[in-house]
Amino acid sequence: ALMQENADFFRREMARYPFTLFSENPALGCTALRTPENLSAHELFLTLKDEYGICVCPNGGALRDTVFRVGHMGDLCREDYLRLLSAFDDLQRRGKL
């Protein structure tokens, strides 16, 4: 139930940002998001890690610069998502998102 609540909450909040769902029917355990053309998903992953101490799941190969994933399994709570959303808000304010 918590995994479903986390996924639903996160996906609702994503409407504020320039990302789109990679799949119309995302898996319960993670949300894969496509970045807009002017934003590298890998660079976003590095920025979140280096500047905010937040780890999202990067992709490799052909999707390296277009898709990143956010997990909903394990020891994650609402505060973890709020911290990530706050980082996205900050990046928007800085014109980097």
Side-chain angles (χ1 to χ4, degrees), residues 35-37 39-43 59-68:
T35 56
E37 287 185 25
L39 178 64
S40 162
H42 189 75
E43 289 301 317
N59 266 319
L63 299 177
R64 180 180 191 262
D65 287 315
T66 57
V67 176
F68 70 97

Side-chain angles (χ1 to χ4, degrees), residues 19 35 39-49 54 56 68 88 91 96-97:
F19 309 122
T35 56
L39 178 64
S40 162
H42 189 75
E43 289 301 317
L44 177 61
F45 156 74
L46 292 174
T47 299
L48 289 169
K49 179 177 68 74
I54 296 172
V56 296
F68 70 97
F88 287 155
L91 288 168
K96 297 191 175 220
L97 190 65

